[in-house]
Amino acid sequence: KQWYQRRVRGVYKYPFELIMLAYERRFPTCDMIPAFLGSDTISEHKSKDGAVHVIERRCKIDVEAPYLLKKVCGADFVYFIQKNSLNKRNRTLTIVATNETF
C-alpha cells in the first residue's frame, strides 16, 4: 500500500460552494471521467450543523496501460481508499488517498 499527501491551494473563478457541489456530484460515478469506474461509501459523518462532512470511499479506476503491462503487474484496475473532509466553515477540503492495489 502507498500513501501520498500533497497540499494544494487552488484559485478558482467560481465560489468554493459551487466547486464543492460539482466535486461531490462525481460520486459514485461520473460520465465525464471515463477512467473513474465507481466508488462505494465505507463511512460517512456529518456534523449536526452540517458544516463538517467526512466521507470515506473505496474507488476503482481503469488503468491506462498496455495489456501486457497490466498482466505483468497483475492489475486491470486500481483500487484506492479516499477520505474527504469538507469543512464549510473554513472553506477547506482535505483529501487523503491510499492505494490498495500496489
Side-chain angles (χ1 to χ4, degrees), residues 87-100:
N87 187 323
K88 293 178 183 176
R89 268 187 237 107
N90 296 338
R91 301 180 86 213
T92 59
L93 172 67
T94 303
I95 303 171
V96 177
T98 306
N99 183 344
E100 287 192 316

Side-chain angles (χ1 to χ4, degrees), residues 1-4 58 79-81 97-102:
K1 293 184 179 181
Q2 295 175 336
W3 189 83
Y4 176 75
R58 184 168 194 257
Y79 294 92
F80 61 95
I81 301 295
T98 306
N99 183 344
E100 287 192 316
T101 304
F102 304 113

Side-chain angles (χ1 to χ4, degrees), residues 23-48:
Y23 176 77
E24 290 177 348
R25 285 189 177 173
R26 74 168 53 174
F27 300 101
T29 60
C30 180
D31 293 337
M32 297 182 74
I33 308 173
F36 186 76
L37 301 176
S39 65
D40 296 312
T41 300
I42 297 171
S43 65
E44 185 171 13
H45 171 75
K46 290 184 181 182
S47 62
K48 289 182 182 181

